Amino acid sequence: AASRLAALCAVAASLLLQAAVVESSELLQALEAAANEEAAVALLEPHLEDLKTLEPEVLEQVVLRQWWGLAREIVAKSHTQQVDLSFSVRKAVRTLKDEAEELLRTLNPKYGLAQQVAPAFQWAQNDTAIFLTIKYTVRWNAPGALEVTEPSVNMTLNMFNFSGLGKHSNNKYRYFLSLSLFDHIVSESSQWSAASVGRISVTLRKRWPRKWPRLIANKKTKIGNMHMWMEMQEKVDSALSGMTTVSNSPVTCQMSEKLYCLATDTCKQADGCSQCPGKSVAKLDEGICTGRPTEKATLSFKDADMDEGELGGEVKISKARNEFDIDTYEVYFGKDDKTKLNGADGAGMAVGSAAPTGSDCEVRIRMNTPVPEAATHLLVFSKNEFGEFATPGQAIIKDAVLPKGKPTSLKFEDEDGDKGEVSGTVHIGRAEDQHQLEEYTLHWGKSERRKINSGSFLRDVMKQADKDPTHYIATSTKIPDGATHMLVFSKNEHGEHPTPASLRFVDATKPCAALTDADCPGQVSISEDTDPEPGRAQATISFAPARSEEGLSLYSVYWGRQGCSDGGQSGAKNGHIKDVQVGEKPSFELPGDTAVPAGTTHILVFSKSKRGESDNCVSADFKDSGVSPTKPEL
């Protein structure tokens, strides 16, 4: 019933909202048709006592129709009704003001004619791009238009053109910039966007990664409002480090009706390409001497397919030093580091191709691709319409296969008695099949199969052909947070076998970690010293065995220079007396003339196991009968 009532309420609210919208729309239409302010007052009279019900467009209409008396009355009532109408009023007044100012500008007979000017701009470069920032003003440090309308940017070959309409200081300007660049650009990879207010930002992708000597093709051309973009140049200068500035380009050579020779960075006559090393073919439409590529790329490949006899993953191609005359990079299987492996049709077995981008690129080998018989390498050839560069880049094919076998067992017993620390020898049961296995790797685990989230690596352990490998964990090795297990995986250069052998380790501690523990010795006592000589003692020492002696090996008895209240290992010991094995009588005689170390005041007893001697102890006072009590000073 409640949900049905809520649905009815929602429907009612929707109907009321629709009715309000219809009413507001009809009111606006009536205001537009009103002949004068008196008619508008009559229309709005029923609404003036509840201004919250009026849409903002109603007040804007009143102001735009310049019904000032009605507008002031509405604003005055808004104060008493606490309704904020400031946004609507300011918006309408601003519109009227803009229209009025536009009318004043038209008094200038030249105002309607936009004056064409060249905008000021700055430029910078790295090895692969030219960067422009264009400001809508004729001088860089002068104010200008905040924005332009009808912006147009055209970037083709070595040409860059920009135009746009802007207003400034009551004048209209058509900003127009045309640049004939030093060299060709790649228009598809170039881009522009509105930067901060009053500017656009442009990135022109160079066709060939090189350091230009200047921005403009004709070095005699002077552009007064062109400046170096020093802030940007400082950011990108590192990309030009070690690069030699070129002197020519196909563009500059064509200006003198010659062809560009990349190898010598010079301009040649049309019949002189025979003097251009490796580029004897004249290509008049592009203004270059060309031929087969003269530089090679390099490649690398890491197999991501872990099945034996199959490949998959990315072939990464490191671009040639200069891609000036390379159209594509062609990747093949090779039977050695220079020769393609041919298929049944006698053609080289292709892997794929990639177009130069000015940076490194890649070719993908699909997963589960069989390794062709006799294929030992991947080869990459630089290619253009005239053929391939004879020498390829190469990488040896390494068929990535994970180890077949996994460790059969893992054994470890903590020998470090401190809490939160371990040490001891890890025994790894070697895999039954050690083919493709290079080593074992130890990790801390949070379960019997999963490593802890960070810092899991413990040690790589080399495999042994005829015995199980071992590793000693050093004393005082900290147990990472969250670690409850030790895991060991079989491993090779391609990765780890997914299933480990595991062990839930026990953090073994020394006995008597707290005085209330059952493996602490009981109360200790010493009889009266019957040796009258100072520094000598004859007495009987007795102590109660621990309530639980499981894991204990003996009790150690010491002379003490203080009691056990601060922990027996914190400087209380003053010399060893005797070890009493578990099961022996917990009482023994100190024969006459037993030496007592100087400063002795107590007898201490510690429990001990193979993890070490306890930090805590029990104690009893000792009094040397041959030493007279110290008399208090008067």
Side-chain angles (χ1 to χ4, degrees), residues 364-431:
R364 181 171 181 78
I365 299 178
R366 292 182 302 171
M367 292 294 182
N368 305 316
T369 297
V371 181
E373 187 177 351
T376 60
H377 289 73
L378 290 172
L379 309 177
V380 58
F381 290 85
S382 304
K383 184 179 180 180
N384 63 18
E385 61 182 299
F386 300 100
E388 295 175 345
F389 183 49
T391 304
Q394 56 84 24
I396 297 174
I397 294 174
K398 291 185 178 179
D399 183 11
V401 181
L402 294 179
K404 298 295 183 183
K406 64 178 182 178
T408 55
S409 63
L410 180 64
K411 297 179 181 179
F412 171 75
E413 186 174 355
D414 182 20
E415 298 173 358
D416 189 307
D418 292 325
K419 187 174 181 59
E421 298 178 356
V422 294
S423 70
T425 301
V426 179
H427 297 268
I428 301 170
R430 67 184 186 273

Side-chain angles (χ1 to χ4, degrees), residues 157 184 207 250-251 254 258-259 281-290 385-386:
L157 298 177
H184 291 298
R207 182 174 178 185
V251 175
Q254 282 183 308
K258 295 182 179 180
L259 304 181
V281 180
K283 198 166 187 180
L284 299 179
D285 58 332
E286 294 188 13
I288 58 174
C289 295
T290 188
E385 61 182 299
F386 300 100

Side-chain angles (χ1 to χ4, degrees), residues 21 104 273 300 310 376 432 502 506 632:
V21 170
L104 290 175
C273 284
S300 61
E310 296 180 352
T376 60
E432 295 178 357
S502 63
V506 176

Side-chain angles (χ1 to χ4, degrees), residues 611-626:
R611 314 296 179 200
E613 190 177 84
S614 63
D615 291 328
N616 294 302
C617 62
V618 293
S619 60
D621 292 340
F622 169 75
K623 181 178 180 182
D624 187 348
S625 63

Side-chain angles (χ1 to χ4, degrees), residues 441-443 445 447-451 486-489 500-502:
T441 182
L442 285 167
H443 288 267
S447 70
E448 61 182 12
R449 288 182 176 271
R450 299 181 64 188
K451 302 172 187 175
M486 284 184 185
L487 312 177
V488 60
F489 297 82
S502 63

Side-chain angles (χ1 to χ4, degrees), residues 298-300 313-319 329 331 351-357 359-365:
T298 58
L299 59 76
S300 61
E314 306 295 338
V315 180
K316 299 187 180 299
I317 302 171
S318 298
K319 70 181 186 71
Y329 294 112
V331 181
V351 173
S353 65
T357 61
S359 58
D360 297 342
C361 53
E362 60 187 32
V363 168
R364 181 171 181 78
I365 299 178

